[in-house]
């Protein structure tokens, strides 16, 4: 058994920790944003209401400042308005002296008067913060002199409100963190538990336990889909490993037998038949045959590797499939003379396709060779190429025992061999049909087999016509073929003429 790869321990962050951190950070950010927005809104609203109140109080008092107004009347009006609106009011001269009885707490009138001179230089009224208060001031006239009417309200209430909101926000942040911790734990129970289960089973799969099952009734669709995918991967990996083991076993056996034969007959040549030419030639022929078998096996294995790497349909060209079928069929003519085979060929003329020519040649050769290997005692094989709708259909039929229904789906597998093991002139490696399958799938051509036990089998392939975009290339290929035939005819005439000339000289 091959050594399993050791799984490296993951040093990343736990999903529980990540969830807790994300939930907590989200909660804190939300609370901070809420606090900032809330404080801004409260400050703006509080200032707006205070300004409206100061303006209303100031305008009420200003209306009472008529030239004939007495000091006592104005003082009482100011007092009543201030008590009604909950503000502080005072009337000061431009030099900072109070023009009414000083019943307020404001003592720094001279500095305030200097500020108001600047603030009211170009405006009739002004609102500004001064010494911890919000002040509304207007220019007025009282007792025959210009003065300033001021209405103020302390900002301590706003500061107290903001401090209270800050405490509440801090408490909310703590509660949010606790709730985030609880929520992350709940989410971890729902999410991380099935993820952890799937991960643990995946580790067992990586260690080579292909009997593990991933599918379960999880709450999350994505996890269920992941489990189904891993179950499918588990089955496919199990099949691939089994096929790999079978492939290694089969290849080892196929290599071992001819190598043993080569070594044995080489030893016989050295020790026994070295001086006997007839025996030496016979032994050498065995060595050559076994070497050819090894070469064919290596070639087929390389072809399979190329097909799996995606090189099954590279370098496509337009070519005459009819001539290709004739040419491949003629390679089996020696069987007609030496083994009395009957290979009947029916090929429609000038059927062109766009494909990899050398790969299609492999397909044709392997299918015809397979038919030769497994045909019946009458040794008959029939090769056909004809138009089927818009496609070109290739068929090769034998008269063998046929293929059972249970074997139809497995004949394309690597190293599959039918139970009917007749010895035939075309020796196979067990990889021919697998190579055919890989090439045809790479091209996208439909293929299959029709078989009935006791009546032989027919392997077929549907080749698509040349696309319209490649018609010019098809015409070019036809032109090249015509030129080639013309050159061959000219050479044939020259040979005949040359032979006749030599005869005359004789």
């Amino acid at each position: 058994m091959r050594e399993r790869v050791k799984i490296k321990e993951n040093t990343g962050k736990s999903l529980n920790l990540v969830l807790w951190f994300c939930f907590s950070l989200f909660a804190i950010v939300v609370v901070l944003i809420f606090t900032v927005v809330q404080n801004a809104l409260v400050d703006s609203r509080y200032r707006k209401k205070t300004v409206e109140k100061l303006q209303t109080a100031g305008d009420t008092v200003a209306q009472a400042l008529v030239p004939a107004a007495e000091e006592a009347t104005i003082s009482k009006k100011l007092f009543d308005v201030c008590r009604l609106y909950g503000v502080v009011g005072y009337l000061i001269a431009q030099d900072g002296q109070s023009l009414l009885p000083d019943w307020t707490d404001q003592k720094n009138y001279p500095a305030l008067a200097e500020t108001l001179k600047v603030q009211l230089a170009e405006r009739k009224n002004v609102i500004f913060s001064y010494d911890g208060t919000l002040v509304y001031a207007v220019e007025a006239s009282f007792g025959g002199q210009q003065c300033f009417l001021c209405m103020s309200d302390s900002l301590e209430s706003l500061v107290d409100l903001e401090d209270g909101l800050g405490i509440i926000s801090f408490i909310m942040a703590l509660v949010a963190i606790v709730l985030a911790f609880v929520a992350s734990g709940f989410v971890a129970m729902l999410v991380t538990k099935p993820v952890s289960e799937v991960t643990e089973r995946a580790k067992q799969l990586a260690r080579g336990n292909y009997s593990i099952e991933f599918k379960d009734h999880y709450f999350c669709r994505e996890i269920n889909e992941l489990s189904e995918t891993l179950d499918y991967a588990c089955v496919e990996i199990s099949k691939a490993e089994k096929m790999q083991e079978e492939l290694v076993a089969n290849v080892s056996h196929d290599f071992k037998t001819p190598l043993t034969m080569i070594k044995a007959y080489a030893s016989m040549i050295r020790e026994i038949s070295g001086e006997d030419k007839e025996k030496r030639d016979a032994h050498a022929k065995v060595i050559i045959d076994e070497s050819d078998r090894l070469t064919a096996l290596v070639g087929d294995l390389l072809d399979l590797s190329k097909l799996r790497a995606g090189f099954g349909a590279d370098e496509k060209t337009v070519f005459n499939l009819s001539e290709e079928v004739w040419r491949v069929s003629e390679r089996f003519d020696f069987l007609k003379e030496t083994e009395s085979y009957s290979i009947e060929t029916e090929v429609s003329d000038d059927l062109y396709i766009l494909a990899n020519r050398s790969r299609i040649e492999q397909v044709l050769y392997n299918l015809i060779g397979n038919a030769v290997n497994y045909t019946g005692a009458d040794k008959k094989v029939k090769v056909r190429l004809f138009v089927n709708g818009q496609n070109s259909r290739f068929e090769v039929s034998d008269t063998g025992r046929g293929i059972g229904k249970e074997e139809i789906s497995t004949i394309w597998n690597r190293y599959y061999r039918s139970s009917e093991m007749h010895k035939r002139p075309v020796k196979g490696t067990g990889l021919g049909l697998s190579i055919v399958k890989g090439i045809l799938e790479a091209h996208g051509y439909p293929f299959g087999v029709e078989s009935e036990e006791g009546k032989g089998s027919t392997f077929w392939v549907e080749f698509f016509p040349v696309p319209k975009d490649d018609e010019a290339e098809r015409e070019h290929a036809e032109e090249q073929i015509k030129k080639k035939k013309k050159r061959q005819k000219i050479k044939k005439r020259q040979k005949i003429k040359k032979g006749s000339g030599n005869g005359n000289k004789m």
Side-chain angles (χ1 to χ4, degrees):
M1 181 180 291
R2 64 184 179 86
E3 183 180 357
R4 303 293 178 189
V5 178
K6 185 177 180 181
I7 300 177
K8 183 179 180 181
E9 292 296 331
N10 197 337
T11 57
K13 303 296 182 183
S14 169
L15 184 57
N16 282 332
L17 180 61
V18 173
L19 286 174
W20 178 85
F21 177 78
C22 291
F23 271 79
S24 301
L25 181 62
F26 177 76
I28 292 173
V29 170
V30 170
V31 171
L32 288 176
I33 294 175
F34 175 78
T35 301
V36 172
V37 173
Q38 176 183 253
N39 288 345
L41 291 176
V42 168
D43 183 85
S44 175
R45 187 67 177 172
Y46 183 88
R47 289 179 179 273
K48 182 179 180 181
K49 288 293 184 182
T50 303
V51 168
E52 290 176 354
K53 180 175 63 175
L54 292 175
Q55 286 178 334
T56 303
D59 293 342
T60 303
V61 175
Q63 291 175 3
L65 292 175
V66 295
E70 297 180 357
E71 180 178 329
T73 302
I74 298 302
S75 180
K76 184 178 184 304
K77 183 68 175 179
L78 181 61
F79 178 78
D80 292 339
V81 171
C82 289
R83 184 175 62 179
L84 176 63
Y85 290 100
V87 297
V88 177
Y90 37 89
L91 197 64
I92 60 176
Q94 292 190 355
D95 59 359
Q97 297 297 318
S98 177
L99 301 179
L100 295 175
D102 192 5
W103 49 270
T104 68
D105 295 332
Q106 181 62 264
K107 302 298 182 183
N108 195 16
Y109 290 145
L112 178 59
E114 292 298 325
T115 302
L116 291 174
K117 288 179 182 180
V118 177
Q119 295 285 342
L120 294 171
E122 297 179 355
R123 288 175 287 181
K124 293 181 179 181
N125 57 60
V126 66
I127 297 174
F128 62 99
S129 297
Y130 181 80
D131 198 17
T133 63
L134 190 62
V135 179
Y136 172 72
V138 296
E139 285 187 321
S141 178
F142 180 69
Q145 60 176 328
Q146 291 297 113
C147 60
F148 303 114
L149 174 61
C150 300
M151 308 298 293
S152 66
D153 193 7
S154 176
L155 294 176
E156 291 182 2
S157 299
L158 177 60
V159 174
D160 293 339
L161 179 60
E162 290 178 344
D163 290 341
L165 291 175
I167 294 173
I168 293 175
S169 299
F170 178 74
I171 295 173
M172 288 178 62
L174 292 179
V175 172
I177 293 174
V178 173
L179 291 177
F181 183 81
V182 175
S184 65
F186 179 72
V187 173
M189 181 180 65
L190 292 177
V191 178
T192 62
K193 184 178 179 181
V195 171
S196 300
E197 291 178 358
V198 172
T199 302
E200 186 59 35
R201 294 174 186 176
K203 289 180 180 179
Q204 295 183 38
L205 172 62
R207 295 188 183 100
N209 182 8
Y210 302 127
S211 62
I212 192 72
E213 292 185 359
F214 291 88
K215 191 174 183 180
D216 206 339
H217 298 290
Y218 297 114
F219 78 98
C220 182
R221 183 187 66 186
E222 287 78 8
I223 298 179
N224 282 324
E225 291 178 354
L226 175 62
S227 300
E228 292 176 1
T229 303
L230 289 173
D231 275 331
Y232 177 76
C234 187
V235 173
E236 293 301 314
I237 293 173
S238 177
K239 290 180 180 178
E241 179 147 323
K242 185 177 180 181
M243 291 177 64
Q244 180 182 1
E245 292 174 353
E246 292 177 355
L247 177 64
V248 171
N250 289 326
V251 170
S252 299
H253 178 269
D254 279 357
F255 271 108
K256 182 178 180 180
T257 300
L259 288 174
T260 301
M261 296 285 287
I262 290 172
K263 181 178 179 181
Y265 278 88
S267 298
M268 291 175 66
I269 290 175
R270 184 183 64 181
E271 299 173 1
I272 300 175
S273 59
E275 301 297 330
D276 189 332
K277 184 179 185 306
E278 184 176 350
K279 288 184 178 181
R280 185 174 69 247
D281 291 344
H283 295 165
K285 185 178 184 305
V286 173
I287 293 176
I288 292 172
D289 290 343
E290 295 301 326
S291 298
D292 291 340
R293 183 182 174 187
L294 279 177
T295 302
L297 180 61
V298 171
D300 284 350
L301 288 173
L302 289 175
D303 285 338
L304 275 179
S305 299
K306 290 178 181 179
L307 292 173
R308 293 186 64 183
F311 295 101
D314 51 326
E315 298 181 2
K316 293 182 179 180
T317 57
V318 175
F319 63 93
N320 191 326
L321 180 62
S322 303
E323 289 201 355
E324 195 66 31
V325 172
W326 277 116
R327 193 170 63 83
V328 174
S329 299
E330 289 173 355
R331 293 167 62 181
F332 294 87
D333 284 349
F334 73 97
L335 297 177
K336 299 178 182 178
E337 301 174 1
T338 60
E339 301 289 340
S340 300
Y341 271 81
S342 173
I343 301 178
E344 182 181 348
T345 307
E346 296 179 6
V347 179
S348 299
D349 294 332
D350 298 329
L351 298 181
Y352 287 82
I353 63 171
L354 174 64
N356 184 300
R357 186 166 189 164
S358 60
R359 294 297 185 188
I360 298 302
E361 179 186 356
Q362 280 184 285
V363 169
L364 301 176
Y365 184 84
N366 287 347
L367 290 178
I368 296 175
N370 183 76
V372 169
N373 280 333
Y374 292 101
T375 193
D378 57 2
K379 298 183 179 181
K380 289 184 178 181
V381 174
K382 187 173 184 179
V383 178
R384 299 178 64 207
L385 178 67
F386 56 93
V387 177
N388 184 33
Q390 294 183 343
N391 300 333
S392 300
R393 185 179 178 94
F394 172 79
E395 292 183 355
V396 56
S397 305
D398 62 62
T399 59
R401 291 173 54 184
I403 304 170
K405 294 181 179 180
E406 68 281 357
E407 293 181 294
I408 289 290
S409 60
T410 59
I411 60 173
W412 306 99
N413 294 341
R414 286 173 291 184
Y415 276 104
Y416 169 81
R417 293 178 188 268
S418 173
S419 56
E420 180 190 3
M421 295 298 290
H422 292 297
K423 184 177 180 181
R424 293 300 184 211
V426 180
K427 297 180 180 179
T429 62
L431 300 174
L433 292 181
S434 180
I435 292 174
V436 168
K437 176 184 176 182
I439 294 173
L440 295 177
E441 285 182 343
H443 282 80
Y445 292 143
F447 63 95
V449 59
E450 298 170 359
S451 182
E452 185 177 349
E453 291 188 76
K455 294 185 178 181
S457 305
T458 297
F459 287 81
W460 58 269
V461 182
E462 290 275 350
F463 294 99
F464 302 141
V466 178
K468 291 183 179 180
D469 295 341
D470 296 283
E471 282 294 327
E473 188 174 350
R474 182 187 67 80
E475 293 174 0
H476 177 72
E478 290 178 348
E479 185 66 24
Q480 293 298 318
I481 292 173
K482 291 178 180 178
K483 290 181 179 180
K484 184 178 179 180
K485 289 181 177 179
K486 187 176 181 180
R487 287 196 298 269
Q488 289 176 346
K489 289 180 179 180
I490 293 173
K491 288 182 179 179
K492 189 175 181 181
R493 292 195 195 103
Q494 290 176 345
K495 287 182 179 179
I496 294 174
K497 188 174 181 181
K498 187 177 180 180
S500 301
N502 292 336
N504 292 334
K505 289 180 181 180
M506 292 291 292

